[in-house]
């Protein structure tokens, strides 16, 4: 059994931080519902707004712990819905980058992706991940994905399951499928290749200089 891990150190936490900032107080269910509804009809990256979501470093595949988050392209015309949507798009671009890297490293195609965890409950984010990645997204009805995965791995180790495939086949889960939105694919393709992939290399030296200034006390 081989497991390939990738990670971004702030996803749900980044969304919660931005929602709290945009809402002006500790967010409740109404805050999330209101801001996500605004993000759903906003333009985000299509309106020229773009995030680098490196709040705690870039994670994979860049592996730059010294990176910091950045918002570029902001104008007085942008709304809070644009700001939130752009962050959700950035998280989807990051997933696309990692999936593309995995395909390159393994030589395998990944046409379908399963999502679990708290952020999988955000339908707008899941729709964006499907469209931006160009892959079908399946979201199983799992509340505690880590605990379930640990139980399955324990079952494999104890011989309850002969293989990972057998362990997975034992599950009886309902899944929702999200497909890429054809009408938005072209602009997101350009944003991915021309902006997302160029953003970290462009910001890295500036982040380094900023950190040096801060460490020296000005």
């Amino acid at each position: 059994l081989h497991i390939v891990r990738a990670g971004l150190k702030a996803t749900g936490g980044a969304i919660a931080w931005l929602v709290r900032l945009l809402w002006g107080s500790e967010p409740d269910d109404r805050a999330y519902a209101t801001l996500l509804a605004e993000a759903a009809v906003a333009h985000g990256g299509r309106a020229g707004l773009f995030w680098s979501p490196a709040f705690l470093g870039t994670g994979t595949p860049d592996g730059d712990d010294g990176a910091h988050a950045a918002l570029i392209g902001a104008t007085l015309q942008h709304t809070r819905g644009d700001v939130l949507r752009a962050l959700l798009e950035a998280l989807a671009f990051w997933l696309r980058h990692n999936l593309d890297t995995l395909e390159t490293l393994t030589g395998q195609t990944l046409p379908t992706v399963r999502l679990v965890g708290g952020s999988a409950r955000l339908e707008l984010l899941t729709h964006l991940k499907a469209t931006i990645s160009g892959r079908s997204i399946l979201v199983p009805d799992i509340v505690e994905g880590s605990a379930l995965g640990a139980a399955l791995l324990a079952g494999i180790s104890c011989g309850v399951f002969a293989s990972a495939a057998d362990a997975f086949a034992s599950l009886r889960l309902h899944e929702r499928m999200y497909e890429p939105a054809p009408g938005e694919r072209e602009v997101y393709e350009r944003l991915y290749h021309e902006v997302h992939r160029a953003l970290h290399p462009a910001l890295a030296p500036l982040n380094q200089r900023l950190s040096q200034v801060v460490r020296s006390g000005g």
Side-chain angles (χ1 to χ4, degrees), residues 79-156:
T79 67
R80 63 182 185 178
D82 288 319
V83 176
L84 179 55
R85 185 185 182 97
L87 177 60
L88 299 180
E89 290 171 345
L91 298 175
F93 283 119
W94 171 84
L95 175 64
R96 161 79 182 273
H97 193 176
N98 276 270
L99 291 173
D100 287 357
T101 302
L102 282 173
E103 288 189 341
T104 300
L105 291 174
T106 63
Q108 301 180 29
T109 58
L110 303 170
T112 303
V113 177
R114 283 182 171 82
L115 297 183
V116 296
S119 62
R121 293 194 291 268
L122 300 179
E123 290 213 6
L124 174 57
L125 177 56
T126 305
H127 278 294
L128 289 170
K129 286 179 176 178
T131 297
I132 288 173
S133 74
R135 295 165 171 92
S136 300
I137 301 290
L138 292 173
V139 180
D141 292 333
I142 297 176
V143 178
E144 292 294 341
S146 298
L148 178 58
L152 294 177
L153 289 173
I156 296 171

Side-chain angles (χ1 to χ4, degrees), residues 2-115:
H2 299 281
I3 298 174
V4 180
R5 294 186 59 187
L8 182 64
K9 299 175 183 178
T11 51
I15 296 171
W17 166 81
L18 184 57
V19 168
R20 182 168 58 251
L21 202 64
L22 295 174
W23 192 249
S25 61
E26 196 62 32
D28 52 16
D29 290 344
R30 176 171 165 268
Y32 276 92
T34 300
L35 290 173
L36 286 169
E38 292 178 12
V41 297
H43 298 288
R46 293 169 295 160
L49 201 59
F50 213 90
W51 277 95
S52 167
F55 290 91
L56 296 172
T58 60
T60 56
D62 296 306
D64 182 359
D65 290 336
H68 300 289
L71 176 64
I72 66 170
T75 71
L76 295 176
Q77 284 69 47
H78 287 122
T79 67
R80 63 182 185 178
D82 288 319
V83 176
L84 179 55
R85 185 185 182 97
L87 177 60
L88 299 180
E89 290 171 345
L91 298 175
F93 283 119
W94 171 84
L95 175 64
R96 161 79 182 273
H97 193 176
N98 276 270
L99 291 173
D100 287 357
T101 302
L102 282 173
E103 288 189 341
T104 300
L105 291 174
T106 63
Q108 301 180 29
T109 58
L110 303 170
T112 303
V113 177
R114 283 182 171 82
L115 297 183

